[in-house]
């Protein structure tokens, strides 16, 4: 049967929407429902409550529970006066409610277990028919996972359940070590770009010792590590030219790998080695289409023409040697270089590339924040539309560019899954949860990855990262963001405010 959706009754005083469902795994962390207003301004308040039933209910037979009078077993009647254990409650005032908005209940503790019977209720106070919110119901894939029954007042909604979703935050990962690793063999780089996310980690020079490299080899041998990406705080191609052996180590792991590079040391010889390897993706960061801008934002780089020639030779080597890896160039979007982006697309086309990445500036200092396009959102939206049209005209099939800024109000954040599969290892042995500064989980000179990966810091992060009160770096995350979240564009300003 084809799935359908329909609205529930309006939330007016005297009506309670009651959704019963079972937790599908341990550590339920969020339940998200969609409210609707039909574009009208709602009145009154809406309260959502999630509770756990202390006993496993046996539904009782009641003829009036079906909309069509058929006899159905009624969990609603079996609930009786047992209110169960209140897990979380949320009240929204009329000013909080938007049409088709996502409302997320964050559980405060990871103590819900698989199979627990849970009851979500929605009721209103102070609203009137024609000026009240409602919720969407579905009988298909959008229905709340673990659905048992849905009642409007006492009436059973047959196969319909709330259109909603759940998220779980298990404290332990399924594997003893990460399956995906960001790897930086040296905490140094040949460039000193003012917008680099890794400025803090490059204050001292450290090179990853053989003992830790051997640990990484053991993760691959055990079948746990599936992909490795470089680099985080230093260019691996420069490190290979400077110290030797870095590419040998990466290629000899014999797993899929990704390289991000500034292209300065992407020589023809290197491109040939990469074309014969298990390289999956090669991305070259340029951030400019003119020499003047390139010299300003890629401090210490060779002339732009030289890097462009390196990219051209990489494309040719891939074709000549039958390489299957993807090649892309990337562009950090700033107020000072935005007008060059169309020419950047033309450059990609001239090089025979079909992939272009565009990302907003990640400002971690006041100086960087001034260059953020948060200050010129309409200008970005206009250039974005022009660039999409140009990319289609040029045949650039994969243009990854941020969504347009809108006036839609931000409600919560997008969920993050990185702490369950990925980590970063720096040249000094530090283990980081991701590339965003401030999430150090441990150090491989002090503990093994197995001890760190499922240790107390990671467990705390896994529960808190998608909670109502995540760690400070996650609150301003520029990677997983709502497009209209000011804090993720003006990070330095937001961190100062959060600190107080």
């Amino acid at each position: 049967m084809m799935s359908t959706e329909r609205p529930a009754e309006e939330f007016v005083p005297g009506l309670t929407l009651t959704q019963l469902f079972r937790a599908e795994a341990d550590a339920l962390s969020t339940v998200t429902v969609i409210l609707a207003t039909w574009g009208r301004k709602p009145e009154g308040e809406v309260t959502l409550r999630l509770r756990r039933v202390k006993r496993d209910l046996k539904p009782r037979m009641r003829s009036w529970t079906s909309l069509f009078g058929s006899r159905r077993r009624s969990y609603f009647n079996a609930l009786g006066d047992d209110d169960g254990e209140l897990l979380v409650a949320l009240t929204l005032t009329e000013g909080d409610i938007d049409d088709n908005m996502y409302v997320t209940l964050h559980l405060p503790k990871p103590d819900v277990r698989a199979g627990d019977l849970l009851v979500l209720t929605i009721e209103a106070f102070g609203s009137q028919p024609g000026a009240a919110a409602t919720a969407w119901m579905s009988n298909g894939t959008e229905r709340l996972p673990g659905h048992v029954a849905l009642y409007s007042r006492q009436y059973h909604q047959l196969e319909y359940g709330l259109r909603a979703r759940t998220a779980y935050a298990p404290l332990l990962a399924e594997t003893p070590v990460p399956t995906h690793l960001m790897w930086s063999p040296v905490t140094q780089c040949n460039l000193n770009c003012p917008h680099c996310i890794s400025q803090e980690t490059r204050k001292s020079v450290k090179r990853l010792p053989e003992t830790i490299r051997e640990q990484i080899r053991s993760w691959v041998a055990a079948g746990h590590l599936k992909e490795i990406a470089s680099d985080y705080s230093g260019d691996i191609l420069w490190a290979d030219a400077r110290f030797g052996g870095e590419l040998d180590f990466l290629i000899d792991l014999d797993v899929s790998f990704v390289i991000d590079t500034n292209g300065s040391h992407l020589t023809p010889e290197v491109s040939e080695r990469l074309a014969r390897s298990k390289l999956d993706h090669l991305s070259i960061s340029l951030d400019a289409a003119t020499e003047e801008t390139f010299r300003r934002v890629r401090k210490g780089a060779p002339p732009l023409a030289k890097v462009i020639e390196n990219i051209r030779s990489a494309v040719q080597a891939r074709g000549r040697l039958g390489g299957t890896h993807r090649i892309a160039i990337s562009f950090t979007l700033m107020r000072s270089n935005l007008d060059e982006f169309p020419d950047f697309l033309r450059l990609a086309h001239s090089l025979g590339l079909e992939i272009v990445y565009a990302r907003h500036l990640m400002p971690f200092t006041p100086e960087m924040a001034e260059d953020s396009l948060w200050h010129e959102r309409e200008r970005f939206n206009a250039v974005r539309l022009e660039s999409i049209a140009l990319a289609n005209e040029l045949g650039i099939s994969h243009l990854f560019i941020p969504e347009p800024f809108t006036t839609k109000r931000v409600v919560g954040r997008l969920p993050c899954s990185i702490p369950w599969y990925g980590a970063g290892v720096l040249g000094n042995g530090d283990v980081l949860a991701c590339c965003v500064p401030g999430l150090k989980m441990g150090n491989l000179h002090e503990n093994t990855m197995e001890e760190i990966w499922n240790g107390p810091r990671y467990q705390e992060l896994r529960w808190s990262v998608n909670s109502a009160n995540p760690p400070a770096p996650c609150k301003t995350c520029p990677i997983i963001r709502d497009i209209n979240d000011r804090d993720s564009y003006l990070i330095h300003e937001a961190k100062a405010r959060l600190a107080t």
Side-chain angles (χ1 to χ4, degrees):
M1 183 180 67
M2 183 178 298
S3 63
T4 59
E5 295 181 359
R6 59 184 175 87
E9 294 183 70
E10 287 184 301
F11 297 145
V12 294
L15 180 144
T16 300
L17 200 69
T18 304
Q19 170 75 66
L20 290 93
F21 68 103
R22 292 191 185 278
E24 296 189 310
D26 292 344
L28 177 69
S29 62
T30 62
V31 179
T32 301
V33 300
I34 301 177
L35 298 186
T37 67
W38 302 108
R40 303 171 301 196
K41 179 176 175 59
E43 297 179 357
E45 298 179 344
V46 173
T47 296
L48 299 89
R49 293 185 179 89
L50 181 67
R51 54 192 172 96
R52 173 168 42 194
V53 180
K54 296 180 180 178
R55 54 192 173 83
D56 201 359
L57 299 180
K58 293 182 179 180
R60 301 175 186 176
M61 193 77 78
R62 295 295 294 269
S63 62
W64 46 261
T65 56
S66 168
L67 291 174
F68 303 104
S70 62
R71 297 176 66 81
R72 281 182 169 268
R73 294 188 178 277
S74 172
Y75 281 93
F76 184 87
N77 185 60
L79 279 171
D81 296 327
D82 180 12
D83 288 333
E85 173 193 0
L86 181 65
L87 300 176
V88 62
L90 175 65
T91 295
L92 303 172
T93 65
E94 57 189 45
D96 296 327
I97 303 173
D98 289 333
D99 196 19
N100 290 319
M101 72 176 290
Y102 291 90
V103 179
T104 298
L105 296 174
H106 295 272
L107 279 74
K109 296 184 295 184
D111 58 356
V112 171
R113 297 290 177 257
D116 283 356
L117 183 60
L118 305 168
V119 181
L120 172 63
T121 59
I122 307 176
E123 54 187 333
F125 306 91
S127 59
Q128 297 181 13
T134 185
W136 285 100
M137 302 185 300
S138 173
N139 65 356
T141 57
E142 295 295 317
R143 188 176 68 179
L144 179 67
H147 167 81
V148 172
L150 176 65
Y151 300 90
S152 182
R153 296 187 176 93
Q154 72 271 34
Y155 297 108
H156 195 290
Q157 300 301 300
L158 302 178
E159 71 273 17
Y160 282 88
L162 276 176
R163 182 183 171 191
R165 62 188 182 214
T166 53
Y168 295 84
L171 304 187
L172 302 179
E174 294 181 353
T175 55
V177 297
T179 58
H180 292 70
L181 190 70
M182 294 182 298
W183 171 66
S184 179
V186 182
T187 59
Q188 193 178 37
C189 186
N190 58 314
L191 305 190
N192 188 28
C193 305
H195 59 292
C196 181
I197 195 173
S198 62
Q199 288 182 354
E200 288 296 317
T201 61
R202 292 193 280 112
K203 289 184 176 179
S204 61
V205 180
K206 299 288 183 180
R207 188 181 182 213
L208 202 69
E210 180 60 27
T211 53
I212 295 180
R213 295 171 194 265
E214 191 55 42
Q215 289 186 48
I216 297 175
R217 293 187 186 99
S218 72
W219 307 338
V220 174
H224 299 311
L225 185 59
K226 305 298 184 184
E227 183 178 82
I228 187 166
S230 70
D231 63 57
Y232 176 78
S233 65
D235 190 286
I236 186 175
L237 302 185
W238 167 81
D240 187 68
R242 173 69 173 79
F243 299 101
E246 306 300 356
L247 272 183
D248 287 339
F249 171 77
L250 192 57
I251 293 172
D252 291 346
L253 287 175
D254 201 33
V255 295
S256 176
F257 66 96
V258 175
I259 285 182
D260 287 299
T261 177
N262 57 50
S264 299
H265 290 78
L266 184 63
T267 64
E269 293 77 17
V270 166
S271 292
E272 290 189 4
R273 292 183 65 191
L274 293 177
R276 294 187 178 98
S277 72
K278 284 194 173 182
L279 176 66
D280 178 72
H281 199 97
L282 174 66
S283 179
I284 304 98
S285 301
L286 296 181
D287 304 328
T290 66
E291 178 68 21
E292 180 182 0
T293 301
F294 184 72
R295 304 296 289 180
R296 176 176 58 82
V297 300
R298 313 296 296 181
K299 292 187 181 300
L304 176 59
K306 173 60 177 174
V307 179
I308 290 174
E309 185 55 36
N310 288 348
I311 299 171
R312 195 182 310 276
S313 68
V315 173
Q316 293 170 349
R318 180 183 62 177
R320 185 173 64 255
L321 299 174
T324 59
H325 56 284
R326 295 162 291 169
I327 303 178
I329 55 175
S330 66
F331 190 96
T332 300
L333 298 161
M334 314 178 209
R335 298 171 79 182
S336 59
N337 70 355
L338 181 63
D339 291 337
E340 292 184 20
F341 190 62
D343 284 339
F344 189 80
L345 293 174
R346 295 184 181 96
L347 172 61
H349 174 66
S350 71
L351 291 170
L353 301 176
E354 297 179 346
I355 304 175
V356 174
Y357 293 111
R359 304 178 182 89
H360 280 294
L361 175 70
M362 301 178 188
F364 289 95
T365 66
E367 296 77 18
M368 292 165 65
E370 285 301 310
D371 214 5
S372 170
L373 282 163
W374 177 263
H375 303 294
E376 295 192 55
R377 284 164 279 179
E378 290 185 3
R379 178 179 164 221
F380 165 73
N381 288 349
V383 172
R384 178 182 180 275
L385 285 176
E386 175 190 346
S387 300
I388 292 174
L390 178 60
N392 290 333
E393 177 186 330
L394 295 173
I396 296 175
S397 56
H398 296 85
L399 170 60
F400 296 90
I401 190 168
E403 291 298 310
F405 292 104
T406 72
T407 57
K408 182 181 177 182
R409 184 163 56 93
V410 174
V411 181
R413 297 177 314 280
L414 298 176
C416 176
S417 60
I418 294 175
W420 285 271
Y421 70 86
V425 173
L426 300 187
N428 61 4
D430 281 350
V431 176
L432 308 180
C434 73
C435 63
V436 175
L439 291 172
K440 178 181 173 180
M441 297 288 105
N443 188 284
L444 292 175
H445 291 296
E446 302 168 3
N447 298 97
T448 66
M449 180 61 88
E450 289 82 354
E451 293 170 332
I452 296 170
W453 181 237
N454 278 317
R457 288 187 187 176
Y458 253 112
Q459 291 187 37
E460 181 181 354
L461 175 65
R462 288 176 183 132
W463 178 251
S464 63
V465 64
N466 296 319
S467 72
N469 187 31
C474 303
K475 289 180 180 179
T476 59
C477 178
I479 308 297
I480 300 176
R481 59 147 62 103
D482 185 297
I483 194 66
N484 293 320
D485 184 1
R486 174 190 174 97
D487 285 353
S488 66
Y489 296 91
L490 307 181
I491 299 172
H492 185 271
E493 170 190 297
K495 288 177 67 175
R497 188 188 72 251
L498 291 170
T500 60

